[in-house]
Each structure stands twice: as structure tokens, then as C-alpha cells.
Amino acid sequence: MSDLIRTIRQDLNEFSADLHLIGSDTLARRHPGEHPDNFGAGVMAEPATPQAAAAIVRWCVENRVPVVPQGGRTGLVGGGVSRPGELILSTARLNGIEAIDPLARTVTVGAGVTLQALQEATAGTGLTPGIDLAARGSATIGGMIATNAGGILAFRNGVMRHQVLGIEAVMPDGSLFSDLTRVLKVSAGPDIKQLLIGSEGAYGFITRAVLKLESFNSMRATALVGVKDATSALALIAHFRAQPALQLEGAELMWRRYFVDSAGERGFDLDWLEGDTAAVLLIEVSAASEAEARTALEEGLADLWEAHELTSGIVSASLDQARRFWALREESDFIYRLHPAAPSYDVSLPPGALDAYVAGLRDRLKAMDPGFDAYVYGHVADGNLHISVIGAGSAEAAVKEPIEDAVYTGVGECGGSFSAEHGVGLEKHRAYLVYGNPARRALAGAIKAALDPRNLFNTGKVPYRAE
Amino acid sequence: MSDLIRTIRQDLNEFSADLHLIGSDTLARRHPGEHPDNFGAGVMAEPATPQAAAAIVRWCVENRVPVVPQGGRTGLVGGGVSRPGELILSTARLNGIEAIDPLARTVTVGAGVTLQALQEATAGTGLTPGIDLAARGSATIGGMIATNAGGILAFRNGVMRHQVLGIEAVMPDGSLFSDLTRVLKVSAGPDIKQLLIGSEGAYGFITRAVLKLESFNSMRATALVGVKDATSALALIAHFRAQPALQLEGAELMWRRYFVDSAGERGFDLDWLEGDTAAVLLIEVSAASEAEARTALEEGLADLWEAHELTSGIVSASLDQARRFWALREESDFIYRLHPAAPSYDVSLPPGALDAYVAGLRDRLKAMDPGFDAYVYGHVADGNLHISVIGAGSAEAAVKEPIEDAVYTGVGECGGSFSAEHGVGLEKHRAYLVYGNPARRALAGAIKAALDPRNLFNTGKVPYRAE
């Protein structure tokens, strides 16, 4: 048992039942999540109540021990990485689903609840969280708030910020901030809890939240459609969104190389795909019945086939087949099996700018090295692209900055973002400083100084003091 | 010409073309809007560019002149009231609609654009702003952002915060903060622009914004339905929201006395209304055609008639009749014709709590004075009630605080808000201090001190320093 744990146990004896402390031996037997250094601190506190969380934070403030909040450790930018001398503060035991209110369409949840657990808990009500993403099995509500997660339904329901009505959090001074608002409409002075959304643990440790719920309709049809570009995919999307009797449930675009390699890895038949197809759109709609959804999808594709030069398409014949369609998009691990060092990015642009951006990106990469290429795929309706640069091989480390520049060129200028839904963490420091908004950065630093004057909360992640 | 105007003209000569300055003589010929003291300062600057706005703010900072931002002056809580020695900063000339992007479903607008002008500008695109409210003809986008406006579509699209993608604003130090993001997904460090939403001009002066647009469907049907309580109305609403082929476009509940007096003032026939009806629900749905919308509405009401003890109902036979239905709800000026001194409130509660709250409110008012009653009406799907206490007559001033207490009792405890969509301004000072969230208030004050250390922006409105 480490000295740190022994000291905390003595000092916070009154919270012993509600404050699990875990040392490096135990952590060594757990999976560290998406970043190998998440457990670097070697000490983790798992408070089971907000009060215990506040107590451990107060202890950390008094003893000047930096705090690293962690949720499901699914973050892709190192936002949960911890170092010796720090304390990991985990939401794992703040995992109650407290109140589902079907009339108000809200739910009160502990920050450590996974998205999938919440989806399962609400399934019987005809309602579901308004946000969904591939990491649903491990991503937690607290982490999703801290990173302002986006996912596959953002084009319709907005991002995590638009789902959050209330937040309870331990602030960096150890006080418990409780604003568990359960209504949509609040105009009662500045809405301070907004600062906790998307600040990656730098402004506080989220313990509970109230979220909106949205109607869920399982009467769906799903298709894969070969398109010539993002513009063509967006025309299909607009067509289906304009139909009052349909709801668009998914619109994911995979440019050819991503789609073909993903299909190859999963043994997915490609005979239906025409040879010159530039990209494949996964589109899903819901309607009053599965038959209506399927008919609307088939008729819509037939109507648009020539005008939008669709090359090929298959409509799912079963839920199981639809799941296989989705797996091609969501199971992206193959990227790192085929290209272990592939540097990966997550940008957003106004959808109308996507084609020019992707063409420019490929040109910039080829100009650096004719062997460079990119997997490009993502949430086309809201302009969020995931990009993995491949063919970089062992040269990757040496050319990291030029590749970053190739990816980020033009993104901010058209009103997009160098980080759409993954955050800044450790990995996007340079991007934050070079491609982030300077005025926004300066104000974020001023507020960090006001809320966390000792700079103890997730220190060294979003670089507040690098100006 | 006042000395102040003369001095500003001299000092900011370079901005003369873009900075209109207006004195008390001119202001005396203009309508001051919803509060008679809005023009109290007697001096107004109307910058025509963000740069001119920043210049006049810098001048105010240097000369320690407090700034009062104003938009459409439709605010109901005195948030735009100004006093001698202050300078009114108006968005009136920041009124360009710059870029409608149908693919991205976004629009870039000047802060001084009215909601109605924006609705008209987007009408040809099949898209519309996701927010709508009765004051659409005069309320401006900047003011709606500053008060986090709600309105009649919030239950579906969220409030103003959920519509705003980008903001440009002059901060209290005179710097121009430009975060004109045009995408939904941004996780790139703390989102500072959120502070400007709902802070009623205390953290900055909004000059431009990027807003989301939503699909607009004019194929509608509208009904007035007599219900026995809010719970019954919410059951109807849930029924129609669960139908995939329908969209709920409006759900406004008017308790009996409001509805009967509104109908009386407008000469609206009440023969159809059963005598014991407790409240009337205005419900509007859209579908693939007007006939489908009307059929779905009629069938839904027939299906639910007995189970939910509906007492009476009429479905509109024309757009003109639907407009008359809406006027009963939206044209609420009659309140002040019939009861000039009626104190008015704007609270939100989880919808399931509405009936108990309204019953308790009436009991508390009757206990104070058997002659007291309340008009109650509002956006039932999101739990937002507008309340005017009537029968108080000349006793109103004397009993203002007890009436406030009767209205606000229990609102915060169930996760609601003492101010749903009107803000704090001047009128809700005591409510902010007594019924607001203390932790939220303290942090709002700390951030005010960090952003506006000279306390020059909309001083004396949201009471940051009254702790």
C-alpha cells in the first residue's frame, strides 16, 4: 500500500465506506483503456458519493496533489493520462441511474454510468439518450459531458451539450456544485455548468447529470449506397430529411479505401460495389413500420439514382444485416491492425466544404510523399470526419507536424474545428495552440485561473498556460 | 447634442461612418419598448460594424462609462433599462443576414436581425430557425441569445443555447471575440462563447452569430382541446409525439380563466367549450399533407377522448382559423388591459409536477387573499408556465414579496427555474438572490470579476456583487 493511500485513509477515515482507494498493484491487473499511460499515477480514488468525491478533492487541494478525472478511459487524445504524484479520480462507483421521468423526458444519472447501460435502462420507455456513439459499451456519461461527445445522432439531436440539463460536480476548490436542473428552459443568470461541458476535467469533476431523452423508433431500414462524393451523399440525406413521415437515424460516409479495407477485414462481400465508387454512404431511416421505412428508402434511392449518379446500393434485408452494415463503420480497430502507427484526426467542417477539403488533404499528403494516403470516414451530415493517415510507416514520428498541418489546413477558416468530438487532451496540444481560437484560448486560461488557481485539475492537458 | 456625444465623435472620428450616435431628443421620438426606462441613459450608440462596436466599448472602458446592451427592447424583466451616465449600445445596425447554408443547415446573422426577418429570409429554403416566440416581430437574435430565449418550439428543438453554433462579441475589455463556428461538433477546449448565452449582456455585447436551421413543414393541423389538467394534456402530447409520421409543432396549455378572458377579449366563440373544462390545450401537428395531419389529429383525439376525459375540442378548418387559435395564446396583452398592475412570472417545472404546482399556487394565493387568482398559461410540453397574479389591485405593491414567494415555492426544489425564458434583469433581483442557486451565483460573480473587472457591462442587472 502506497504512502499516499495510507495517508488519505487516515485523513478521510470518516469516508472510508464511500471512498475506495486503489494502488498500483490492483491497477496493474486492470486494462488502462485507450491510452497505456492512463494509470501512470499508480493511485486511484473511486468515490461512491458526491460528498466523498468532494472530500478527496479538498484533501488534494490541501496537500497540493493534482487530480486526474477518469471515466470510461475511452478517450482517444490522452485526456485521462496520469503521472506519478497525481491522483486518479474515477467515476466508476458513481454509477446509479436514479430517476427516469418519461413525461419530462429526462433521466438523472451518476457520471460513471456507461452510455449502453443508460440505453438499456431507458429501452422500455420508448425513449433513449439523444446521443449514440461506437464506444457506447465503455464511454461514461461523465466523460461524454467532459469531452462534449458527438457521435452518430448529432446531426439531429445536437451534441452532448444539447442533451445536458443539469450537472453536479466537485469544483477545483473542493466545493460541491449542484445544478441538477430538470427542465429545458432556464434563463436565470449565467449558466455556469456550461463551463464543465467540454472542458476535459480542467474545471471540475462531474459526479451526476440530468440528461434529455428522445423518442426511439425501432422500425427502420438501412442501406449502403455507392456515391461519387460527399455532395451526392448530402443530397440523399437532404431528400430523406425533408420527408415528414421519415426520421433520419444515421448517415455515415466512408470513402473508398476505408470501406474496402473494413469490408476486407470483416469478410464482407463487395460484389455489389461498382468499381469506380468514390465513397459509400450508410443511411438509416425510421418510419411507422419497417415496411414503410424500407419502401421509402428504396423509392428514394430509385428516384435519386440518376440525378445523383449513385453507382450501387444494397438495402438490408434483416436487422442482422443492418448490424453488419454498421460494423463496417463502427469497428474501426482494423486501421491499427493494418497500420499500427497511423496518426489519427477528428475534424469538423461545414458539410458543403467536405469534398474540396478531402481532395485538398489527399493532394497535400501526396505532395509530402507519394506513398501517403488517408482513411476518411465519419458523420457526414454534421461534417465530422475521422482521418487516419496511412502509408506513413516508420516515418510517421519524423513528419508528424507536417501531417498535422496537412490535415488542419483550412479547417478553422471555413468555420470548422481541429477537434470535433475527441477533445484536446495531450495529443492535440500543438493543434490547440496553432489552430485553436486565440481569444477563446486566452479566456479559457483566465477562467482556469479563477476556478483553479492552484492548477490542480487535469494539469498539463488542455494547455491553459502555454500562451 | 450632449457633451458625451460630442466627445465620442471627436475621439472616434475614424469610425464616424459606422457609429451612429443618438441623443435624448431623438430617443424621445422612439418607442422605448417593453420598459419605460429603457432610454434612461439618453445616449445611444448604434455601431454598424463589429469593429465600431469594439471601438466604442474601448472608449467606454477608458472613460469608465457603463454600457447597457439593447436589442429589440422586448425584454420583460428590465434587462435593457438604462440610467443617466450610461451609454446604450444597440444592435440595430448590425442587421445583416450574411450566409444561409442549406447543406449545413446554418445561417450567419447580425445580432440586430429580428427573428421574423430571419424566418422570412429562410422561408424559401424549406428551413427555419429552430426557435419561435410571440415577440418574433421585434425580438432580435442578439437579445434572444443574451436571454437564452425559449418559446414555443423548445420542447422539440431546445432553447436558444441549442441553436447557437457561433458567436462574435465585444468583450468588456473592448476586444473582439470571434468564434463564428459553423459546425455542430466542437470539442476543442472550453467553449467560452457559452458564457455569453443567457448572461443578459453582463459578459459582453453580441455582434454576430451562427445559428442552426431546422426543417419547416407547413402541412399542419391545429386543434383546441378541453382537458381536465396538465397531466391529461401531457398524455395527448406523448401520444402524438410517439407517432413517427407526425411532428408535434405546438403544445400550449391555457388554464380556464386565461382562456375564457382571452377569448372574450377577442370575441372568440366559446359555445363549444364544456362548462367544467379546467384548461384548453392548443395542439398543432404536421405531416406529409394537411389532410394526413388533420386525420391524425382527429383520430388521435377520438382515440383518447374517453380515457383522458377530454371535454370538448375543435379542429381548425383553415389556416386562418388556426391563426385565431394561436392568437388566443400569443396575444396576451389583454392581461394588462384588464389588470394593469398584475405582477407576472415565468417559471419552469418538470411537466409531471405542473398540476400539483398550479393547485398549490392557487391555494397559496387564496390563503393570502380570497380575491387573488392567477392567469396560468404556457409551453406545457417543456413545463414553462407564464403566470399573472390578478385581483391584487392596488394592494399589489404592498404584497409583492409574499406573492413572489407564493409563485416560487417549490419550483427550485423539483429541478425547475424561477425564470424560464425571461431572464433576471432588474425585476427578478430578489428571486435571483432568494431562489437562485447559490453556487451558480458565486461562480457567476467570480467570472464577472475576471471578465469585467471594472463592472461596466449592464451594471446593476443580474446582481453579481450582492452576496
Side-chain angles (χ1 to χ4, degrees), chain A residues 143-402:
Chain A
M144 289 170 62
I145 296 173
T147 54
N148 193 25
I152 60 183
L153 288 171
F155 69 88
R156 197 177 77 196
N157 300 329
V159 294
M160 200 64 187
R161 182 180 306 281
H162 305 131
Q163 307 301 317
V164 174
L165 300 180
I167 290 181
E168 177 191 74
V170 182
M171 300 303 286
D173 64 356
S175 66
L176 191 61
F177 171 79
S178 182
D179 182 2
L180 289 170
T181 296
R182 291 173 53 207
V183 293
L184 257 170
K185 284 186 178 163
V186 179
S187 181
D191 192 0
I192 297 305
K193 67 174 170 292
Q194 298 298 327
L195 287 173
L196 292 157
I197 304 171
S199 60
E200 302 181 45
Y203 291 161
F205 174 72
I206 297 163
T207 52
R208 283 200 290 179
V210 182
L211 304 182
K212 286 170 67 181
L213 296 172
E214 305 286 343
S215 298
F216 181 79
N217 182 3
S218 64
M219 300 292 115
R220 300 186 180 203
T222 315
L224 294 173
V225 188
V227 294
K228 70 180 196 313
D229 51 23
T231 305
S232 174
L234 290 163
L236 287 187
I237 290 165
H239 173 83
F240 289 110
R241 289 187 95 172
Q243 293 187 37
L246 289 183
Q247 270 274 40
L248 188 64
E249 300 283 354
E252 300 287 319
L253 192 62
M254 295 162 271
W255 271 262
R256 184 177 186 90
R257 186 158 178 181
Y258 176 93
F259 185 77
V260 168
D261 284 5
S262 183
E265 284 290 301
R266 303 189 69 80
F268 189 92
D269 174 43
L270 287 181
D271 286 352
W272 59 278
L273 189 69
E274 289 292 324
D276 61 346
T277 300
V280 175
L281 175 69
L282 188 167
I283 189 160
E284 185 164 292
V285 299
S286 66
S289 69
E290 280 182 19
E292 279 183 46
R294 192 183 161 93
T295 302
L297 195 51
E298 287 172 345
E299 288 180 357
L301 294 176
D303 288 349
L304 299 173
W305 200 266
E306 292 197 8
H308 293 289
E309 300 172 45
L310 308 182
T311 64
S312 37
I314 44 175
V315 177
S316 70
S318 68
L319 185 59
D320 188 57
Q321 194 180 16
R323 285 202 183 111
R324 285 202 295 276
F325 290 1
W326 275 101
L328 294 171
R329 162 60 186 84
E330 292 199 327
E331 305 290 330
S332 54
D333 289 356
F334 75 87
I335 295 173
Y336 306 100
R337 287 196 300 274
L338 300 182
H339 307 276
S344 295
Y345 307 91
D346 161 51
V347 301
S348 55
L349 301 98
L354 290 175
D355 283 319
Y357 169 77
V358 172
L361 168 65
R362 292 197 199 282
D363 287 346
R364 290 189 292 274
L365 291 174
K366 296 279 181 217
M368 289 173 61
D369 182 329
F372 281 4
D373 197 3
Y375 286 137
V376 183
Y377 60 107
H379 316 288
V380 64
D382 52 47
N384 175 192
L385 298 182
H386 301 314
I387 296 163
S388 290
V389 177
I390 57 178
S394 58
E396 181 254 313
V399 296
K400 196 172 175 190
E401 293 193 2

Side-chain angles (χ1 to χ4, degrees), chain B residues 152 187 207 244 305 392 398 404:
Chain B
I152 60 182
S187 181
T207 51
W305 200 266
E404 263 191 38

